Amino acid sequence: MNTDHDTISMLRDAAQRYTADHYDFLERAQVLGQGPGFSARAWRDYADFGWLALRLPEDEGGIDADAAAIGVLMESAGSRLLLEPLLASAVLGTGLLLRQGSAAQRQAWLPRLADGSVKLAFAHEDDAGAACVWRDGRLTGAKIGVLHGDIADRVIVSARNQEGDTVLCMVAAGDLVCGGYRLVDGRGAARLRFEGSRAELLGEAGRPAQDAIALALDEAAVALCAEAYGVISSLVTITCGYLKIRKQFGKPIGTNQVLQHRMVDMYLLQEETRALASAAQEALVLPLAERERVVSGARAYIGAAVRRAANDAVQMHGGLGITEELDVSHYFRRAMTIDSLFGGRDQHMERFTEHALTAGQPGERQCVPM
């Protein structure tokens, strides 16, 4: 379903108003100092606003939102550096349950995801030498770098069954060993270990999970593109304001032509990121090869763009740009994290290059590389 423009506009206005009123830099700093590392109050508010149910079908209390609507929420996550598990639970976890779960599983868990009483995380990458194996309802192995795995109530895990096929299973937080830690931007993550953990197979036995996982990872990449756009937009606003008030030799440093040119470059990065994020959102409904080419091309470029914008913002702020007390340093950390989550820039550039090089071969639709 394509979310209509009025709904997207209302969602954007609501997200911007709420985060401006309740999630400024000082309030976020207080959340970072708390044990869980996210705001339970904000999570309840997201549920009350219906943000956690965006992906649900209309007959299950959602609006069947497309990638553009999800992108609006992720823009706010980037522009205000939100710490809650929107990507891990509301985008990835909910999407996998919708696509792969049985009717009974959807009925049991989707309402609880929508009201915020359950938070999901997605564990996909295998720890070296400890790939997960699911057999007879039990899971063994380990996963590393699980975003928000430290606060998840349940974890969706990719594993191999006894036939060697990829499956998805769901594990309760109490049935695994969790080593939680903080990412560089302050959000939580975990290394998980499964020692014969009870694990419920997601969906029906024998149903392949590779396609669902591939699409979920592309959806995560597209969501991160929107989040990066939010980061760059905020950096442009913050840095432009700083150049107007910071004075040197009796006049604002923004009168320096070199800094003006750098601000123009940052603004161009912002607009390029916005266009590529939109193209990636539209590409999710394309055939597989085209989808992967466009999504990976956008993800690779935007990963570099957000790092460059963050670097420029820090440099134009001078020594203040790296201090804990200034918001620019926290945007820089979020930029680094975005660039490494769910397939970093190098991985997506490699996939984009492969599709671009094979686009003109017989049997392939001709595509123009970005």
Side-chain angles (χ1 to χ4, degrees):
M1 172 183 174
N2 291 325
T3 310
D4 63 86
H5 292 294
D6 289 341
T7 300
I8 289 177
S9 179
M10 289 188 292
L11 178 61
R12 177 175 282 110
D13 289 344
Q16 290 176 348
R17 284 199 306 270
Y18 175 80
T19 54
D21 292 341
H22 302 286
Y23 222 108
D24 65 18
F25 180 65
L26 293 179
E27 289 172 314
R28 179 182 182 273
Q30 293 177 354
V31 173
L32 272 175
Q34 298 172 359
F38 78 103
S39 171
R41 184 205 66 182
W43 189 247
R44 290 193 300 270
D45 291 341
Y46 300 164
D48 292 340
F49 297 151
W51 297 351
L52 305 185
L54 285 181
R55 301 204 62 175
L56 272 59
E58 293 181 3
D59 58 0
E60 298 189 45
I63 63 170
D64 198 15
D66 61 4
I70 298 298
V72 169
L73 194 57
M74 294 306 299
E75 285 175 26
S76 293
S79 64
R80 290 290 176 174
L81 302 179
L82 304 186
L83 297 165
E84 291 69 43
L86 289 169
L87 176 59
S89 186
V91 178
L92 267 173
T94 302
L96 284 169
L97 190 59
L98 278 169
R99 193 170 295 117
Q100 197 72 11
S102 65
Q105 289 169 333
R106 288 163 54 113
Q107 184 177 7
W109 296 109
L110 289 180
R112 300 178 67 183
L113 287 171
D115 66 18
S117 59
V118 167
K119 299 178 292 295
L120 288 179
F122 179 42
H124 178 56
E125 295 179 342
D126 296 324
D127 196 356
C132 289
V133 176
W134 181 84
R135 181 174 299 175
D136 298 328
R138 297 285 177 173
L139 186 68
T140 58
K143 298 287 185 179
I144 59 174
V146 181
L147 180 64
H148 289 301
D150 59 326
I151 60 171
D153 301 295
R154 288 186 173 260
V155 182
I156 296 177
V157 184
S158 62
R160 298 281 184 178
N161 61 15
Q162 56 190 7
E163 287 80 24
D165 299 323
T166 300
V167 297
L168 289 171
C169 50
M170 191 157 53
V171 185
D175 291 327
L176 53 83
V177 179
C178 175
Y181 56 90
R182 294 284 183 94
L183 298 177
V184 68
D185 68 339
R187 286 181 293 182
R191 176 169 178 163
L192 306 179
R193 194 164 72 250
F194 311 99
E195 301 173 344
S197 304
R198 292 175 295 179
E200 177 185 3
L201 184 67
L202 206 61
E204 307 297 334
R207 184 179 179 185
Q210 292 92 330
D211 291 345
I213 293 173
L215 180 54
L217 293 176
D218 281 345
E219 288 174 342
V222 171
L224 287 169
C225 288
E227 185 176 357
Y229 171 68
V231 169
I232 296 175
S233 297
S234 288
L235 286 172
V236 168
T237 301
I238 292 168
T239 306
C240 186
Y242 178 76
L243 296 185
K244 291 178 181 179
I245 63 172
R246 175 72 166 90
K247 290 186 177 181
Q248 194 172 45
F249 305 115
K251 59 183 180 180
I253 62 175
T255 59
N256 185 302
Q257 194 174 44
V258 173
L259 296 182
Q260 292 175 5
H261 288 170
R262 294 189 75 172
M263 278 305 309
V264 170
D265 289 340
M266 282 184 66
Y267 178 75
L268 290 176
L269 285 175
Q270 172 188 309
E271 293 306 294
E272 290 168 351
T273 298
R274 180 184 60 80
L276 285 174
S278 179
Q281 290 163 3
E282 295 174 0
L284 285 177
V285 298
L286 296 177
L288 177 63
E290 287 186 79
R291 182 188 88 201
E292 291 184 342
R293 181 186 69 85
V294 177
V295 169
S296 283
R299 177 77 169 84
Y301 185 89
I302 290 174
V306 71
R307 288 290 297 268
R308 179 181 169 188
N311 278 328
D312 286 349
V314 167
Q315 290 181 12
M316 282 189 277
H317 278 80
L320 290 173
I322 61 173
T323 60
E324 182 77 18
E325 292 76 17
L326 196 69
D327 51 4
V328 169
S329 69
H330 293 265
Y331 282 100
F332 181 86
R333 298 171 200 177
R334 179 61 64 94
M336 289 193 295
T337 307
I338 288 173
D339 192 29
S340 61
L341 286 175
F342 299 107
R345 178 177 32 175
D346 292 342
Q347 180 180 329
H348 280 282
M349 178 57 75
E350 181 179 356
R351 191 173 76 164
F352 167 71
T353 304
E354 290 175 355
H355 282 297
L357 290 176
T358 59
Q361 295 182 3
E364 293 283 346
R365 178 175 174 180
Q366 184 68 37
C367 301
V368 180
M370 292 180 183

